[in-house]
Amino acid sequence: MPELPEVETVRRGLTSLVENSEVSSVDIIYPKMINVSPEKFKKCLSKRKIIKIDRRGKYLLFRFNGDITLVSHLRMEGKYDVESDGTTPGKHTHVIFHLSDGRELRYNDSRKFGRMYLIHNGEEHTLSGLGTLGPEPTENDLTFEYLKTIMNKSRGKIKPFLLNQSHLAGLGNIYVDEVLWMSKIHPETMTSLVTDDEIKALRMNIIKEISDAIKGHGTTVHSYSNAYGEAGQFQDSLKVYGRKGQPCFRCGTKIEKITVAQRGTHFCPKCQLRVTK
């Protein structure tokens, strides 16, 4: 599933490609992907201009004139691309936005899990998932005080805590494994047992890892690509995820893989000792 760096990379690509473009019409090939009737969706977006494309957590927010926002959740396999108008759609193309300049913005999704929500500006909080997102993993938004407070209150394990989007926006399986390795915290350590110094290190590592991954245009493990159809490069910088049986970059111990919160989880058994006090 695309995580924050991948979605941000898509946002930047789409901004370059279609910002200030006008939608002349819309084709809805798979109606279950949208939250309103196809007729309403088409009527609402026809002749509107894409003013700006924002991101919140793993959600894209297309801002149209007339105070209309299209919220797009890519889920596992969602992708956007831009083609010349009239080009034969692929078998996984489900929504086509015809632009007035002779191009098409297409949403493709081999799993059909992605969703689009048409709302008025300011109604983002009414959407399940988007309305309960925690802070963005940035220096200004993710403060030590906030992280310490919610971690001390938690009674669960640190990995599912970090995967919970209401605690912190944008982190998924890959980057949680990475930041826990960087911080030398075992993924099954109880959150309330993480020390203040470890919380400080974890916070800084989260901010740094997400920033570096964005600079690397995201991580391609399965099929992720940006708006230009290009794969990310950050997978070449991963330190622990996907490296089961390979030596830890820090101590040389073989990386192990277990299941935590129903997710495949990679860690170093020497560097990341589980605290059980």
Side-chain angles (χ1 to χ4, degrees), residues 17-188:
L17 288 168
V18 301
E19 187 175 78
N20 292 319
S21 296
E22 183 183 82
V23 174
S24 57
S25 62
V26 184
D27 293 338
I28 309 296
I29 301 169
Y30 186 64
K32 291 183 180 180
M33 200 157 276
I34 60 178
N35 71 322
V36 296
S37 69
E39 293 73 22
K40 182 175 181 179
F41 194 91
K42 295 176 183 180
K43 182 178 180 180
C44 190
L45 295 183
S46 179
K47 308 305 179 184
R48 292 194 188 274
K49 182 179 289 188
I50 302 171
I51 303 299
K52 185 180 180 183
I53 304 173
D54 291 327
R55 179 196 54 75
R56 180 72 170 96
K58 302 177 187 180
Y59 295 82
L60 292 170
L61 297 92
F62 293 79
R63 308 292 192 180
F64 289 85
N65 63 305
D67 289 331
I68 296 296
T69 291
L70 174 63
V71 178
S72 175
H73 194 190
L74 302 178
R75 296 285 178 88
M76 294 184 71
E77 298 286 345
K79 300 179 182 67
Y80 283 96
D81 63 15
V82 177
E83 301 285 352
S84 298
D85 202 4
T87 304
T88 303
K91 66 177 182 178
H92 299 306
T93 299
H94 304 301
V95 181
I96 301 175
F97 301 88
H98 297 273
L99 306 179
S100 59
D101 60 9
R103 298 179 301 155
E104 295 176 355
L105 172 63
R106 299 178 175 182
Y107 178 74
N108 309 288
D109 193 334
S110 61
R111 303 288 290 272
K112 296 184 178 180
F113 288 163
R115 292 294 180 265
M116 295 182 184
Y117 307 93
L118 203 58
I119 61 173
H120 291 288
N121 291 355
E123 292 182 348
E124 293 84 356
H125 66 282
T126 66
L127 294 181
S128 175
L130 180 59
T132 58
L133 286 179
E136 295 281 315
T138 64
E139 184 75 32
N140 291 333
D141 293 338
L142 182 61
T143 65
F144 166 73
E145 291 75 15
Y146 166 80
L147 197 56
K148 172 181 168 62
T149 298
I150 61 170
M151 286 179 66
N152 287 348
K153 289 180 179 179
S154 175
R155 295 295 178 266
K157 297 175 182 178
I158 185 65
K159 176 158 185 176
F161 172 89
L162 292 174
L163 289 172
N164 188 327
Q165 300 297 293
S166 67
H167 295 151
L168 176 63
L171 291 184
N173 202 40
I174 295 174
Y175 297 114
V176 168
D177 279 5
E178 291 294 300
V179 300
L180 289 176
W181 179 86
M182 294 165 68
S183 308
K184 298 183 179 181
I185 299 173
H186 191 285
E188 292 186 306

